[in-house]
Amino acid sequence: MQNALRKIDGCVLSSILESALRIRCNDELIRESARSGRLNIIYYSPRGQEIIPSAISELLTDDDYICTIYRGIHDQIAKGVPPKLIWAEYAGRLTGSCKGKGGPMHITYPEKGVMVTTGIVGSSLPIANGLALASQLRGDGRVTVAYFGDGASNIGAFHESLNMASVWKLPVIFVCQNNRYAEHSRFDEFTAGESVARRGDAYGMHAVAVDGNDAEATWHTARAAIDRARSGDGPTLIEANTFRFEGHLLGDDSAYIPRQEMEAAKAADPVPRLRADVIGRGILTEAQVVELERKIRREAEEAREFALTSDWPSLDELSCDVLANSSEVVQ
Amino acid sequence: MSGGSETSGMPAEITVGEALNLALHDALAADPNVFLLGEDIGDEQGGGILGVTRGLSTTFGKARVRATPISEQAIIGAGIGAALAGFRPVAEIMLMNFVTVAMDMLVNHAAKLRFMSGGQTGVPLVVRTMTGSGFGNGGQHSDYLEAWFAHVPGMKVVSYSNPADAYGLLLASIRDDDPTLFIENLGSYALKGPAPQRGVPTPLGKAAIVRPGDDVTIISYSTMVLRALAAADSLARQNISCEVIDLRTIAPYDLPTLVASVGRTRRAVIVHEAVRKFGVGAEIAADLAGRFHGELKAPIVRLGGNYSAVPFSKPLESAYAPGPKQIEEAVLAMIAEHSDGL
């Protein structure tokens, strides 16, 4: 890849690393808390996919929008949602980003552009188109990123959305985080064609596959797509290839993944690789990274403490936010 | 009409088609955040298959009156996303049966995002759609599916029975902050009636007493209101006085108006074109029965579409939905069998 040959700024790379470390740390603490029963949730870990949104968000502003999915904590943290609001939402508390009413699969935080987190495979794309259409109509220069998995590329909404975005030249970027498994189903057994990226060709769309575990390559690819969107040249489909370390959901033993495949993926864990790279290039020292990791761990533990000691929502919340005017809610 | 500048040039009577076109025109003119999207709605495509949006893309431009591919999920999704960003999109799903392919967008997203986000986001989206039996369109172009949406918390469901309401309710739906399903009747577009006052919305959630009466309350909406009125005319000649109520907003419906009426008449007939089983009528009947247990002169009657797909063959299709005759018979039967007279 030509772009990837150009080195990116050290500050950018260390910022991507910080985001990836924050995601990994919170993810680990959530899994630990769920396993120990402190947090009672169904959890879809993004472990292994940290680099993708970390690299992309580095290029986005708070005004840019994202729509993500139930496996989305990495996308949300990378976009700037404070972990303590995510933790409190996971714990179902009033202090959560959505007052505890959305839960792990439905994080919304417009302040940082996180507009929709959907539990329905493939649904992030049509809504992202609408956000992008709003930006196009206003001419406000915002871009919208729709995150989804490889499984979503087989639902109708994917195809409808790519076609519409291309016809209307919407400032939207479709980012398929291809982690090779749609729930328990292998990508190559259930997805026709060579790749998700090739499907973009059929819609006359700029489409590119990238190693989503490579921070620089992903950053360069995202930058080209974001420039294209901001300058009015329309959408891009990015297939960011990666791997999912923790199964579909917490408790899934990944028996359907060949052991060799899993071991190879874990051996190539992108987070320590980026960590080593940042230190190796002299961008940060080992001691600075260790200090950063300590800070992030403290933050995550405080977030958990904040969540677990926060108040539950009052029962009035049951009829609040159903309609714009609560008094219209008829029981 | 009082003849102010807004109403000048307006005929005393207009059709439903003109009323809807006028409402969309006025909404587009009044608020730059309103835009329309749907299949074939631009003037290049003919201004909608029945001409409801005719002239609007020429006046307001193709960016705001936006013809779309045949992609119902993408249409509703685009409406939802734009609504989240502060627009007031009006999406047209050409026929109500086609909402089936966009149910995820409507049920899981449009209706729920306000609640699931803890009130941080809302979806002020209007989905216009049309339907109705009687036109030989068969089983996949004629259904009333309003009960599906009335059943989802967070959606409003609106219908009209005359041109003035068509105008006022559509304007109100566009100004409303909740996602609204606006149901148009296929057979209504040529229906004439008194013109509305320009720029004045008809409040959502308020039913209209379209004919006052004392003996029986007939509760209806959409095209069935006209059949209820025809039945009431015939019953009046038999000295039976029917109060006919047009719900106008199906969800949330105006229970106080129904309670006030049935409290006086102590007889209620509910009529809709949707299949009777599990329909809106069941909900209303249960609400009224709960309030008036032991006080009613007769059990509440529900009339609705037959338990079948809408048939093609003319005699079968004509028998599918309740007509004035069935409504009249139902009223006569409840008076004859279940009371000690009027």
Side-chain angles (χ1 to χ4, degrees):
Chain A
M1 222 193 131
Q2 225 175 6
N3 272 340
L5 296 176
R6 292 201 302 273
K7 292 296 176 198
I8 64 178
D9 187 70
C11 289
V12 171
L13 212 56
S14 66
S15 180
I16 296 172
L17 175 65
E18 178 169 348
S19 170
L21 291 172
R22 181 167 287 115
I23 293 162
R24 187 178 73 172
C25 176
N26 280 281
D27 170 72
E28 278 168 5
L29 204 59
I30 287 165
R31 281 187 275 123
E32 186 187 304
S33 305
R35 287 210 174 92
S36 67
R38 296 184 72 184
L39 204 57
N40 190 11
I41 59 167
I42 307 289
Y43 182 60
Y44 303 89
S45 169
R47 187 69 190 88
Q49 303 177 207
E50 296 90 343
I51 301 300
I52 300 165
S54 298
I56 294 173
S57 291
E58 195 48 40
L59 294 146
L60 301 173
T61 71
D62 288 353
D63 287 340
D64 292 321
Y65 298 124
I66 70 163
C67 294
T68 183
I69 64 164
Y70 54 90
R71 190 185 317 284
I73 192 174
H74 55 325
D75 304 330
Q76 293 142 6
I77 289 178
K79 192 67 175 59
V81 184
K84 68 179 206 172
L85 300 188
I86 298 176
W87 274 92
E89 189 61 28
Y90 278 26
R93 306 305 167 110
L94 183 63
T95 51
S97 60
C98 307
K99 298 195 275 186
K101 292 160 73 164
M105 284 194 260
H106 306 296
I107 301 289
T108 297
Y109 195 63
E111 214 175 303
K112 293 286 182 184
V114 179
M115 301 306 285
V116 172
T117 299
T118 179
I120 310 288
V121 169
S123 290
S124 59
L125 293 89
I127 299 175
N129 269 352
L131 290 158
L133 174 60
S135 301
Q136 187 184 61
L137 284 166
R138 291 208 172 105
D140 62 16
R142 295 179 184 200
V143 303
T144 300
V145 175
Y147 290 114
F148 55 99
D150 43 294
S153 70
N154 293 327
I155 95 152
F158 168 89
H159 298 275
E160 289 191 18
S161 300
L162 262 63
N163 181 61
M164 184 179 273
S166 190
V167 166
W168 289 354
K169 284 193 171 302
L170 296 176
V172 61
I173 298 159
F174 301 112
V175 179
C176 175
Q177 300 186 15
N178 186 343
N179 62 24
R180 319 314 292 178
Y181 287 86
E183 301 203 358
H184 298 195
S185 303
R186 279 183 71 87
F187 176 70
D188 55 8
E189 274 187 74
F190 293 95
T191 304
E194 289 166 33
S195 72
V196 173
R198 286 293 306 277
R199 294 181 172 193
D201 301 347
Y203 298 103
M205 183 178 298
H206 290 279
V208 57
V210 64
D211 177 358
N213 292 342
D214 179 330
E216 291 201 55
T218 304
W219 185 87
H220 280 294
T221 301
R223 190 174 66 167
I226 290 166
D227 286 350
R228 191 174 293 124
R230 287 206 209 280
S231 60
D233 291 338
T236 304
L237 170 64
I238 297 174
E239 178 182 18
N241 288 299
T242 184
F243 203 81
R244 196 188 68 189
F245 291 181
E246 294 294 328
H248 176 51
L249 49 74
L250 192 66
D252 169 3
D253 65 2
S254 305
Y256 49 88
I257 299 178
R259 179 178 296 191
Q260 259 185 323
E261 189 180 358
M262 180 66 92
E263 279 171 3
K266 286 191 170 172
D269 189 336
V271 182
R273 202 206 315 168
L274 177 61
R275 185 186 189 282
D277 197 25
V278 164
I279 294 166
R281 288 203 215 172
I283 298 164
L284 295 174
T285 63
E286 169 76 25
Q288 282 173 317
V289 174
V290 168
E291 183 47 40
L292 181 62
E293 286 167 333
R294 276 206 198 104
K295 186 190 87 170
I296 287 169
R297 176 78 191 187
R298 239 185 352 259
E299 232 180 62
E301 282 169 355
E302 281 166 16
R304 176 169 67 176
E305 192 57 23
F306 170 77
L308 297 178
T309 57
S310 282
D311 287 338
W312 297 98
S314 80
L315 295 186
D316 296 344
E317 289 291 343
L318 269 173
S319 351
C320 182
D321 307 321
V322 177
L323 296 172
N325 182 353
S326 296
S327 68
E328 292 180 85
V329 177
V330 179
Q331 294 302 331
Chain B
M1 311 253 17
S2 58
S5 63
E6 279 188 330
T7 57
S8 61
M10 187 98 135
E13 290 213 319
I14 62 170
T15 66
V16 162
E18 289 163 347
L20 293 168
N21 183 273
L22 209 55
L24 294 171
H25 177 281
D26 290 355
L28 284 160
D31 184 351
N33 287 319
V34 173
F35 73 93
L36 316 185
L37 72 169
E39 296 157 16
D40 290 340
I41 67 167
D43 288 330
E44 281 180 27
Q45 297 81 27
I49 54 164
L50 289 168
V52 173
T53 50
R54 197 163 290 159
L56 298 176
S57 73
T58 303
T59 306
F60 296 100
K62 287 197 279 189
R64 293 186 68 202
V65 180
R66 181 174 285 263
T68 65
I70 301 174
S71 305
E72 280 79 10
Q73 292 188 76
I75 293 167
I76 300 299
I80 292 169
L84 290 173
F87 280 91
R88 294 188 174 273
V90 183
E92 177 177 314
I93 296 296
M94 192 179 282
L95 282 163
M96 195 172 211
N97 286 88
F98 308 162
V99 301
T100 55
V101 290
M103 283 305 271
D104 166 50
M105 284 293 130
L106 286 163
V107 169
N108 288 317
H109 296 90
K112 292 180 187 168
L113 288 178
R114 180 181 296 280
F115 186 85
M116 295 199 308
S117 71
Q120 293 177 97
T121 59
V123 183
L125 165 72
V126 176
V127 177
R128 289 180 46 236
T129 193
M130 76 174 163
T131 191
S133 64
F135 306 92
N137 287 327
Q140 294 178 348
H141 286 62
S142 315
D143 278 335
Y144 274 84
L145 304 172
E146 69 275 12
W148 296 6
F149 300 95
H151 192 64
V152 184
M155 285 286 296
K156 286 180 178 166
V157 183
V158 174
S159 68
Y160 60 82
S161 66
N162 60 69
D165 278 357
Y167 176 90
L169 290 167
L170 182 51
L171 212 55
S173 299
I174 295 169
R175 291 184 190 178
D176 196 82
D177 289 333
D178 294 310
T180 301
L181 185 74
F182 188 86
I183 304 167
E184 299 172 15
N185 315 301
L186 192 45
S188 75
Y189 294 112
L191 183 71
K192 266 199 157 181
Q197 198 181 339
R198 291 286 285 277
V200 180
T202 303
L204 300 186
K206 297 279 176 237
I209 297 170
V210 289
R211 178 190 177 108
D214 300 318
D215 299 325
V216 181
T217 302
I218 305 176
I219 300 156
S220 191
Y221 50 89
S222 256
T223 312
M224 289 295 121
V225 172
L226 303 180
R227 299 188 183 182
L229 286 169
D233 279 346
S234 175
L235 288 160
R237 292 193 286 275
Q238 300 162 65
N239 291 323
I240 297 166
S241 164
C242 294
E243 179 143 297
V244 179
I245 297 179
D246 179 357
L247 280 185
R248 300 202 287 200
T249 304
I250 298 163
Y253 67 86
D254 180 2
L255 190 58
T257 294
L258 305 189
V259 166
S261 178
V262 177
R264 281 190 303 105
T265 63
R266 292 195 280 159
R267 291 187 184 90
V269 178
I270 305 152
V271 191
H272 53 60
E273 185 166 336
V275 173
R276 182 174 57 83
K277 284 183 188 290
F278 300 95
V280 169
E283 174 69 14
I284 296 173
D287 261 351
L288 292 174
R291 273 166 180 77
F292 292 111
H293 178 67
E295 295 174 42
L296 295 174
K297 291 180 181 170
I300 297 164
V301 170
R302 290 181 291 141
L303 299 175
N306 190 54
Y307 185 67
S308 68
V310 177
F312 167 71
S313 178
K314 197 63 196 169
L316 297 180
E317 192 188 29
S318 300
Y320 169 82
K325 192 161 170 285
Q326 283 82 10
I327 301 170
E328 184 180 336
E329 282 168 1
V331 170
L332 289 172
M334 81 195 298
I335 285 169
E337 292 174 23
H338 299 287
S339 83
D340 45 6
L342 292 173

